[in-house]
């Protein structure tokens, strides 16, 4: 008689050891990630040198959003549009998974986090209903980390720590964790008596159902790096201090300082002989001054007002430096010259940004392909055949004109390089997935109408043309 194995209601010693190691790694990176997030949101504290800013104005906070502009400019060039099988077979199963998990909208959020924090995580879970699409979610590195095997380029374990989002009825102080292992996913909460397991999803995949979308990897550092580099943070702080200097100068020199020479004491007193305040003296009719006892008129003048153009030139310099660091055209950061750039010059200045976007597309495509294979594996219980490659379709990150795209597609068709009815030409012309489906439907209707017209024109003594298999719906 075989005794059934009951699931553990608490974490084993090995599982506790893994959780402790992963939580330590998660906490060790959280401060750095929160600092990057503050620069993206414009909430960083600018370091004051304590020289030019008086104590009364140290609470003044100036913000310049260059880090956010740089991150969003790159993210806006990455538009994931479709998943397809590389052999050209029907990809409706891939589209079903993508649509069920709202991948095309969630992808932009994942890219934004990857560029800001340097990495983003993708988890794949079992569906609630057998046969339903797998559950795919993107997780912030503020809440998740991995134990990565650099040799195999795959995770050994993963941990997500968050508040109660699944209706377990936990208090706000209690933290919920999900431990991802090659054979199961464990959901647990830490109590006064130790770890209490809430759920064990035993999938027996043999791999951890977590993927990492890393930005700017290196062979010695697979974790990834943010687009908000130390150089970007330094220039941002310098520009913020310069803006703060302009604000301080506006407080001191917004109204020109005046001086009066040779005036009597009564000019600074009211009708009762009390001394006027500095503001009353400044806004008063200082030109109505009495002559002194020798008959001389007091001399009245004003100091030269502060000119902020020197400060703005320095900010323009910072904008050019920042554009180089972020790979952006200078006009995106507000820097303009007297001679407007031509359209060709603007496209040329975007070359570095376009190349960065193409490199990110290549790197992220591998993550999305693995994500789809893992989703099919979790749903069906077995991975799809390796010879069936999954492809991702992205919108062109460059900014070609519609006329140029159409001209290139027409020339390829005329040269016979690509068949005239191929979907590749529609992609090159810049059509979206929905537009391509409508074009395909229009073609089927046109072919059906032409076939029916040919049958009706046949003489009565000739046999009617037999409709080929696959055209029954025409």
């Amino acid at each position: 008689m075989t005794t059934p194995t009951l699931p553990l209601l608490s974490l084993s010693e090995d599982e506790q050891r893994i959780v402790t190691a992963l939580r330590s790694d998660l906490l060790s990176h959280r401060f750095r990630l929160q600092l990057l997030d503050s620069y993206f949101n414009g909430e960083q504290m600018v370091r004051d040198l304590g020289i030019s800013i008086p104590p009364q104005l140290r609470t003044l906070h100036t913000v310049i959003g260059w880090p956010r502009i740089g991150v969003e400019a790159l993210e806006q060039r990455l538009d994931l549009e479709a998943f397809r099988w590389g052999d050209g077979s029907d990809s409706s199963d891939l589209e079903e998974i993508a649509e069920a998990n709202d991948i095309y909208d969630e992808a932009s959020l994942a890219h934004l986090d990857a560029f800001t924090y340097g990495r983003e995580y993708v988890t794949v879970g079992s569906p609630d209903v057998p046969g339903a699409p797998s559950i795919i979610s993107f997780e912030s590195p503020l809440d998740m980390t991995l134990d990565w095997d650099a040799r195999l380029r795959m995770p050994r374990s993963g941990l997500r720590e968050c508040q109660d989002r699944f209706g377990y009825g936990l208090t706000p102080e209690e933290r919920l964790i999900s431990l991802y292992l090659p054979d199961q996913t464990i959901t647990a909460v830490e109590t006064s008596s130790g770890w209490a397991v809430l759920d064990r999803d035993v999938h027996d995949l043999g791999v951890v159902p977590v993927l990492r979308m890393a930005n700017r990897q290196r062979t010695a550092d697979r974790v990834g790096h943010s687009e908000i580099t130390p150089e970007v943070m330094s220039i941002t702080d310098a520009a913020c201090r310069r803006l703060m200097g302009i604000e301080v100068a506006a407080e001191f020199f917004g109204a020109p300082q005046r001086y009066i020479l040779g005036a009597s004491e009564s000019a600074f007193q009211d009708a009762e002989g009390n001394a006027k305040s500095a503001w009353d003296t400044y806004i008063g009719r200082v030109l109505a001054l009495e002559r002194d006892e020798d008959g001389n008129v007091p001399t009245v003048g004003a100091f030269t007002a502060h000119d902020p153009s020197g400060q703005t030139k320095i900010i323009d310099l910072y904008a050019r430096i920042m554009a180089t660091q972020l790979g952006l055209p200078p006009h995106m950061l507000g820097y303009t010259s007297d001679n407007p750039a031509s359209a060709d010059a603007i496209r040329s200045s975007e070359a570095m940004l376009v190349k960065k976007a193409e490199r990110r597309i290549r790197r992220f495509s591998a993550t999305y392909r693995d994500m789809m294979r893992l989703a099919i594996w979790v749903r069906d219980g077995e991975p799809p055949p390796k010879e069936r490659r999954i492809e991702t379709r992205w919108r062109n990150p460059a900014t070609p004109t519609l006329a140029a795209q159409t001209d290139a597609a027409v020339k390829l068709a005329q040269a016979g390089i690509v068949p005239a009815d191929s979907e590749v030409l529609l992609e090159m012309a810049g059509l979206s997935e929905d537009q391509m489906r409508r074009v395909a439907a229009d073609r089927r209707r046109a072919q059906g109408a032409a076939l029916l017209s040919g049958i009706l024109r046949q003489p009565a003594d000739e046999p009617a043309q037999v409709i080929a298999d696959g055209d029954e719906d025409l």
Side-chain angles (χ1 to χ4, degrees), residues 383-409:
K386 292 184 178 181
E387 58 270 14
R388 296 197 68 190
R389 295 185 65 257
I390 298 176
E391 295 180 351
T392 56
R393 185 196 169 197
W394 301 75
R395 187 170 298 175
N396 189 352
T399 54
T401 62
L402 181 60
Q405 291 177 287
T406 306
D407 183 64

Side-chain angles (χ1 to χ4, degrees), residues 347-366:
R347 281 193 291 270
S348 176
S349 64
E350 294 178 350
M352 184 175 179
L353 179 61
V354 172
K355 178 55 66 175
K356 287 176 64 176
E358 291 174 348
R359 290 293 177 86
R360 301 306 184 271
I361 287 175
R362 185 178 183 89
R363 170 59 62 181
F364 292 170
S365 293

Side-chain angles (χ1 to χ4, degrees), residues 65 71 149 183 188 193 229 247 281 296 350 421 428 449 471:
V71 170
D149 190 332
D183 59 338
S193 58
T229 61
E247 293 291 335
T281 303
N296 297 323
E350 294 178 350
D421 58 350
M428 295 186 62
D471 295 331

Side-chain angles (χ1 to χ4, degrees), residues 29 94 182 281:
H29 292 93
L94 300 178
T281 303

